[in-house]
Amino acid sequence: MPKKSIIAGNWKMNLTLTEVHDFFQQLSLPPQCPHKIILAPQAPLIPIVTNHVQKLPISVAAQNCSFEKKGAFTGEVSAEVLASLGVEYVILGHSERRQYFAENEDLLSKKIRQCLESKLSVIYCIGETLTERNSGQLQNVLKRQLTCLTEFSQSNQWEQLILAYEPVWAIGTGQVASLEQVQEVHQFIQSTFKDSYPHVNLPPILYGGSVNALNAQDLFTLPAVAGFLVGGASLKPKDFSTILSVQ
């Protein structure tokens, strides 16, 4: 029986309106695809992508949301508005948001709260830099990043949480963690959750470090990997279609 999983494509700040139309013309979904498919375009393109996927088994995600519900926050987009546009998921905690916009666990917990209150599922990203890994800080970093989920562990909205492990040193670099490294870290995250939150179901844990058409099948065979958060390869319809074919 095919392994069911989640495969999400994070388009980041890429693809114009014309390129989005071209993407869907070239995308070829595998027949009877067992995976939950998610695409995360730039915010202005959300209505366009939502229209394209109306008759496709694809859900739409946002790449970010505000930590406030509404008000005088120029340039921000609220979770409530995202939900009204047909968005079902929001990616939070991505390493690029942490690095370039100084987002920390306190801010991210507020954003998670806004999403859950608007009935949006959260793909919460965690991961270490190469310096942190080499200095033996991997486990401490991941534990710290997971602390902002504590307040939601008693919530009936816990099932709306999805985790994505993204080794920062393997994002956009072409480097990929070894299969052994990926399985080891995913198992550590699983055991940390079981110890910290024994009363709740374990969230799916996606892998998000330079997944591509060549390595996806091998990564997918790892028991602890519940799918992928795909970056650059999700911009290429042929490559993304190949990734969706893993089983």
Side-chain angles (χ1 to χ4, degrees):
M1 200 173 166
K3 175 180 175 182
K4 293 183 179 180
S5 68
I6 300 166
I7 299 181
N10 179 15
W11 287 353
K12 306 188 181 184
M13 201 170 71
N14 295 294
L15 299 189
T16 64
L17 177 60
T18 299
E19 289 169 338
V20 169
H21 293 318
D22 291 342
F23 175 91
F24 283 102
Q25 286 181 347
Q26 298 174 43
L27 182 66
S28 177
L29 297 180
Q32 299 179 328
C33 180
H35 313 302
K36 176 67 178 177
I37 308 170
I38 304 169
L39 288 174
Q42 298 182 66
L45 295 172
I46 285 172
I48 306 301
V49 173
T50 300
N51 186 60
H52 271 288
V53 303
Q54 278 184 349
K55 297 182 180 179
L56 298 175
I58 298 176
S59 298
V60 178
Q63 299 175 17
N64 186 31
C65 78
S66 175
F67 64 94
E68 292 285 357
K69 186 171 184 177
K70 61 177 61 178
F73 301 97
T74 301
E76 291 289 278
V77 180
S78 72
E80 184 178 40
V81 165
L82 292 173
S84 73
L85 292 173
V87 168
E88 297 179 50
Y89 301 83
V90 179
I91 300 172
L92 295 176
H94 194 281
S95 60
E96 291 157 3
R97 298 294 309 179
R98 295 177 188 267
Q99 178 181 356
Y100 301 133
F101 302 97
E103 293 192 355
N104 57 28
E105 282 66 50
D106 289 339
L107 177 66
L108 290 168
S109 66
K110 295 176 181 177
K111 292 189 174 191
I112 292 172
R113 189 180 309 117
Q114 290 299 323
C115 288
L116 297 184
E117 288 179 357
S118 293
K119 305 296 189 292
L120 294 170
S121 294
V122 173
I123 301 174
Y124 180 63
C125 303
I126 59 175
E128 83 287 2
T129 64
L130 187 59
T131 299
E132 290 167 337
R133 171 176 275 271
N134 289 342
S135 62
Q137 293 299 306
L138 168 63
Q139 294 188 0
N140 290 336
V141 168
L142 297 183
K143 286 181 178 179
R144 186 196 73 234
Q145 293 172 339
L146 290 169
T147 56
C148 69
L149 301 180
T150 301
E151 69 173 281
F152 309 108
S153 63
Q154 301 293 336
S155 169
N156 58 9
Q157 298 164 316
W158 181 264
E159 301 295 331
Q160 293 169 231
L161 291 171
I162 299 166
L163 295 179
Y165 168 60
E166 43 162 23
V168 180
W169 48 273
I171 298 175
T173 64
Q175 288 186 282
V176 183
S178 69
L179 297 180
E180 292 76 12
Q181 288 173 321
V182 175
Q183 178 69 8
E184 179 183 4
V185 175
H186 278 234
Q187 286 180 324
F188 169 74
I189 297 170
Q190 288 178 337
S191 63
T192 299
F193 257 83
K194 289 177 182 177
D195 292 341
S196 302
Y197 314 115
H199 57 287
V200 300
N201 293 327
L202 182 71
I205 305 173
L206 314 182
Y207 176 67
S210 290
V211 178
N212 57 53
L214 297 177
N215 61 33
Q217 183 59 59
D218 287 339
L219 287 165
F220 193 69
T221 62
L222 299 176
V225 172
F228 303 129
L229 179 59
V230 187
S234 70
L235 300 170
K236 305 170 184 176
K238 184 176 179 180
D239 286 0
F240 195 56
S241 298
T242 299
I243 293 171
L244 293 176
S245 298
V246 300
Q247 55 183 302

